[in-house]
């Protein structure tokens, strides 16, 4: 079920709301802790891994580790990763009209940096749903690192 996105539409309103920017790892960790504390199942649809994979995966998230899942076909790796996005915040603010999903507190492209300086607290923001923040790339043996992360502009 999708909740209504926040009605905040400018950087000034966002600051006044007390919004705190978090890294993805912090977001996953804090939301996993909340789900566990509230007795919610953070892994709906994942069956049979309750005493093996899931406790280790949860420990890795709580510790802020990067994770690589290895295994034969059909073992639930993709299913687990598709469920991981449920631990992201449902809505996050981004600079309205920006090329990338830049957080209004930390613009990174030259155009967004310029707009942030010019507009200040009037910088318009929009909200991105967690379903728009996760993408998959099937990594077959012929996949290169450049295929996964893209070209790096020096």
């Amino acid at each position: 079920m999708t909740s209504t996105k926040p009605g905040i539409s400018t950087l000034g309103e966002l600051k006044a709301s007390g919004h705190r920017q978090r890294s993805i790892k912090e977001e996953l960790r804090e939301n996993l802790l909340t789900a566990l504390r509230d007795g919610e199942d953070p892994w709906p649809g994942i069956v049979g891994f309750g005493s093996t994979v899931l406790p280790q995966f949860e420990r890795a998230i709580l510790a802020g580790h990067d994770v690589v899942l290895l295994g034969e076909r059909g073992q639930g790796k993709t299913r687990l990763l598709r469920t991981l996005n449920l631990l992201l915040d449902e809505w996050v603010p981004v600079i309205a009209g920006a090329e990338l999903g830049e957080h209004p507190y930390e613009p990174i492209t030259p155009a967004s940096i310029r707009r942030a300086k010019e507009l200040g607290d009037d910088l318009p923001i929009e909200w991105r749903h967690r379903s728009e923040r996760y993408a998959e790339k099937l990594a077959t043996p012929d996949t290169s690192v450049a295929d996964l992360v893209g070209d790096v502009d020096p």
Side-chain angles (χ1 to χ4, degrees), residues 20-31 64 88-89 103 106 133:
R20 181 174 63 95
Q21 180 183 8
R22 301 183 294 173
S23 71
I24 295 290
K25 288 181 181 182
E26 291 170 327
E27 193 176 327
L28 292 172
R29 180 182 193 281
E30 291 173 19
N31 292 340
L88 296 173
D89 289 343
H103 194 283
E106 197 173 338
R133 297 174 60 201

Side-chain angles (χ1 to χ4, degrees), residues 24-150:
I24 295 290
K25 288 181 181 182
E26 291 170 327
E27 193 176 327
L28 292 172
R29 180 182 193 281
E30 291 173 19
N31 292 340
L32 175 59
L33 284 172
T34 299
L36 294 173
R37 188 179 313 115
D38 294 346
E40 297 173 13
D41 179 10
W43 317 109
I46 304 291
V47 179
F49 292 144
S51 61
T52 56
V53 174
L54 294 180
Q56 293 177 42
F57 195 57
E58 288 172 355
R59 278 189 222 111
I61 292 170
L62 294 174
H65 290 290
D66 295 326
V67 178
V68 175
L69 300 177
L70 299 173
E72 299 294 328
R73 290 183 191 176
Q75 292 185 323
K77 300 177 297 296
T78 301
R79 178 73 177 111
L80 181 60
L81 291 178
R82 287 178 180 162
T83 306
L84 186 62
N85 80 327
L86 297 176
L87 292 178
L88 296 173
D89 289 343
E90 186 162 13
W91 296 99
V92 293
V94 296
I95 298 173
E99 282 184 62
L100 304 176
E102 301 167 74
H103 194 283
Y105 290 173
E106 197 173 338
I108 56 175
T109 62
S112 293
I113 292 169
R114 182 181 31 77
R115 283 181 65 209
K117 285 181 183 175
E118 290 172 1
L119 298 173
D121 283 349
D122 292 329
L123 180 70
I125 63 168
E126 55 193 19
W127 294 87
R128 181 160 295 160
H129 191 261
R130 67 175 155 226
S131 63
E132 300 173 296
R133 297 174 60 201
Y134 175 78
E136 294 180 22
K137 169 64 176 146
L138 180 61
T140 56
D142 63 326
T143 304
S144 71
V145 172
D147 292 331
L148 296 173
V149 298

Side-chain angles (χ1 to χ4, degrees), residues 9-25:
S9 62
T10 66
L11 176 58
E13 292 173 358
L14 187 65
K15 289 177 182 176
S17 76
H19 173 79
R20 181 174 63 95
Q21 180 183 8
R22 301 183 294 173
S23 71
I24 295 290
K25 288 181 181 182

